[in-house]
Amino acid sequence: MSRFMTIRSLFVAFLFSMAAVFWACSDDDSSVEFRVEREVSDISTLLQCAKGADSGAYCFMVRFRYPDDTESLDSIYLWVGNDVLDDTSKSVGDKEKSKATDRFAYPSKTEELFDTIDVTPYIQDYVEERESLMVALYCDYSGGRPGTVQRIYLYFGDKLAPSDINISDSTWTTGALLEWTRPTDQTNHYKPNELSGPILGYNIRIYSENKNEDLRKLKVKLESPDGIDSTGETLYLRHKGYHSNVDSVFLQSKEHGDSRKNELFLAIPDGKGYNNDNPDSNIFRLTIEGLKAETEYKIGYSTWDTCGNYTGVDRSDMRAWLTINTTDSVAPLMPTKIFTMKDTLYPEMARLDSNNRLLIFWSQSVDPYKREHDIEVDTVLSIPDTCLVDLCYEKVEMYRVEYWDRYTEQWVISSDVDTLDRYTKFYKPSGDTMKVSATGKFISDTIRYVAPGDTLVLRIIAIDESGYWSVPLIDTIAVSPGAIANEIECPEGFVAVKASDTNYFCMERMEHQNDSGEFMTNVLHSEALATCEAISASGFKVSLCNERDWELVCLSGGTLAYGVVQDDTVETAEFLFKYCNVATNDSASAANPAKRSSRCMNPMGIRDLPGQYQEWVRGRSEDTIAVVKGGSYRVMSGLESGEFGRETQALCTNRYFPYFTRLAYTTDSVYLYREGTRVDTVYTADTSRTLYKVLTKKDFKDTLQFFDIQDSSGNSVGTDYVPYAEYKQGGDEWLETISNGMKYVPDHIEVVFLTGERVAYRGASNYYRSSSIGFRCCAYKEQNEE
């Protein structure tokens, strides 16, 4: 039996005093008094193997709390399975004890409250034939009434259904596209983070309220991770569906005679688990052709794992089914060009406003009633005088404005799909700008959080009342780099910024990434500095950003406290949490540019100054050269994770000096002053008090071992120290636990006086590294020597 560190005897006494005797009744134990303080409690299972044991297919340990009353506790009996005790037994006799799986003597001198039993050897004969197994524990005393039998159940089988799928759909006149992502499946009750269990397949049911509509021969094409099937011969099956009974899951034929012609059953086998390494390999697309125009259909769907567990709407409750509606037969019309406000410094480019917003304009779309409408499509829509609204065409229902995300490589909605109430203002060209006009043909929208110098690929789709999408208007917009870029031409990969009216330089838009596109974190300050200085840029000196420069860019002239153009409709703490990943403990989002939000950006286009990673900078003096700026995804020690903590952590003006906590010591004289029976220890002389004793170095009893800290290249980067006794007792293996990946080389031993306090050892900043600290480089224009 292995031990766990627990609360000491004081807590035992408290619990014992609070325990109460109660009456426990059962069919065979009625009127028997059991004592609650004489039974184990807080039973839980650990899905792990005992230390030093061979790991089996199923490793289980049972953790429990000893009874509060252990004065005459003799032993603890264990039964695995219900062959001897059933799930209602409260007491045991000699017969049941003789058939116990095992018995453990109580270690009477232990001060610990909790213990564990490795039940792995006892369960191996059960795991293949059972889905769960009872484990019972009973405390045997040498005298007096015992407590009741206590139980816990181990689960082996998969009784956990897959996660539900979210089907997205798009429709047209005669068909629909259904798309979903392979769900995750947790197969083990004790491994909630392992979600890649195999998915057996999917049931899809297409249904029409019109009993006379025949859906049995709809044209169906499936695009799955395993290929494309348009016949139903390889990747999907018609008139089939997954079904389960008590102990198995199987494919079942579905009735498809004339009485059921208004529905089509499809079974789609899968057989694979969710692929975390390649999310795109989890996507399924089902194209259905042959539907009627402007008609409503119901889609039922369910997901099955290999054990017969399923999620979805496999039964007949159509209220939970997906509803789709096909469109009319004429799509809306869209122009071919997006117009913007031009920049005076860069006339061929679009300008942003002071809050990094881009105004776009396009000729309004219309929805013709018939194909022969005579409306001409160009950069604008030219509508003949004979083609009148509500006679020849009507206005579209809504617009969808999207941009192409180069990180995720997909279209992202920039402006929510909305009604035409969003587009009530009309514009017409006036010189080099657009002005509101009742007779204008253009409408406008705003793309927010755009960086200067960006190139945007935008897509606008008009959607009519029936849901029919227009051919998309796709256009590329080159955004002006702005006035700052007009002052300094930066090397590739850097963005023009300014710290003052005269201080222009270049900064990396995001934290520094290596050649593979991974953010460089967990590096020393010296390693970050060397990485930046190794970048070659003609006419520039590249280095870590100066602390003051970093801070002034973050403040953007003093107008921003956190280095972001903040949305006024969102509270500051919520904005920093949601868009900048401040104090979320979400390291995965910090590491993946595709998961970051472009909203965490200042007006110069610099991203993620608060949140994601803290950043090494060059300090203001030689003794503070290793300084960290910005917040990070970590919840900082000493700061609450709520509003105050996030805002405090993310301020542009914050500066941090990484440190380790070490024992405080002195090598100077120590003064002892007696005050009655108490002796006060101080470290400076006090003539107003009665001196008891002075300790000098010859009287000191404490010893510290000092180390020279070296990086992977053998370069010395600082010193550290630990109590000599701890070092000698733990040796090199113990030293590795505090080395943080550095090499600790013993240097010298020093006799000191330990003050009994712990202090922040600032000398550690030179050899401190953390997975939450990165850096970004800055490029400074080299001054021409006269």
Side-chain angles (χ1 to χ4, degrees), residues 175-330:
L177 171 64
L178 308 179
E179 180 175 307
W180 68 92
T181 300
R182 175 187 289 127
T184 57
D185 183 37
Q186 181 185 340
T187 61
N188 192 308
H189 182 79
Y190 296 101
K191 294 184 179 180
N193 295 321
E194 295 188 9
L195 301 171
S196 57
I199 303 298
L200 181 64
Y202 313 88
N203 285 347
I204 303 291
R205 181 182 176 188
I206 308 162
Y207 178 85
S208 172
E209 295 282 0
N210 182 359
K211 301 290 186 180
N212 294 318
E213 185 174 358
D214 193 344
L215 303 182
R216 293 172 296 180
K217 294 184 179 180
L218 288 175
K219 185 178 180 181
V220 175
K221 180 177 76 171
L222 175 68
E223 299 174 69
S224 81
D226 293 322
I228 299 175
D229 182 7
S230 299
T231 63
E233 296 178 355
T234 56
L235 300 179
Y236 72 89
L237 302 168
R238 288 177 179 267
H239 316 306
K240 298 282 188 180
Y242 289 101
H243 181 72
S244 65
N245 56 21
V246 176
D247 59 0
S248 62
V249 56
F250 52 90
L251 272 173
Q252 184 180 58
S253 296
K254 296 294 186 179
E255 181 184 346
H256 54 283
D258 288 344
S259 63
R260 304 289 295 271
K261 66 182 180 181
N262 60 321
E263 57 187 341
L264 173 63
F265 289 92
L266 300 173
I268 301 174
D270 188 349
K272 296 184 176 65
Y274 187 86
N275 186 347
N276 284 289
D277 297 329
N278 183 12
D280 289 342
S281 68
N282 300 298
I283 296 175
F284 291 77
R285 295 185 180 91
L286 188 70
T287 304
I288 305 165
E289 280 283 8
L291 304 176
K292 290 185 177 181
E294 298 185 84
T295 302
E296 180 181 286
Y297 296 90
K298 298 282 189 180
I299 308 293
Y301 56 91
S302 59
T303 305
W304 296 72
D305 69 13
T306 53
C307 294
N309 307 305
Y310 76 89
T311 54
V313 286
D314 192 62
R315 303 302 183 229
S316 58
D317 184 6
M318 292 188 182
R319 293 173 297 177
W321 288 25
L322 173 69
T323 299
I324 63 173
N325 292 274
T326 52
T327 70
D328 63 26
S329 60
V330 182

Side-chain angles (χ1 to χ4, degrees), residues 364-416:
Q364 60 178 309
S365 170
V366 297
D367 185 29
Y369 288 139
K370 57 182 182 178
R371 287 184 171 83
E372 297 78 22
H373 44 65
D374 295 328
I375 300 174
E376 296 181 5
V377 177
D378 204 334
T379 56
V380 297
L381 299 185
S382 298
I383 304 174
D385 294 339
T386 56
C387 190
L388 303 177
V389 65
D390 293 333
L391 294 177
C392 176
Y393 67 91
E394 62 183 6
K395 295 180 180 179
V396 296
E397 182 72 13
M398 61 188 73
Y399 293 96
R400 184 184 182 102
V401 181
E402 304 170 326
Y403 67 90
W404 179 254
D405 189 318
R406 64 179 180 273
Y407 291 114
T408 61
E409 295 186 339
Q410 62 184 0
W411 293 103
V412 177
I413 296 177
S414 173
S415 174
D416 293 339

Side-chain angles (χ1 to χ4, degrees), residues 480-498:
S480 166
I484 300 176
N486 195 47
E487 298 289 337
I488 182 172
E489 186 176 347
C490 289
E492 183 179 355
F494 289 81
V495 178
V497 295
K498 72 171 185 176

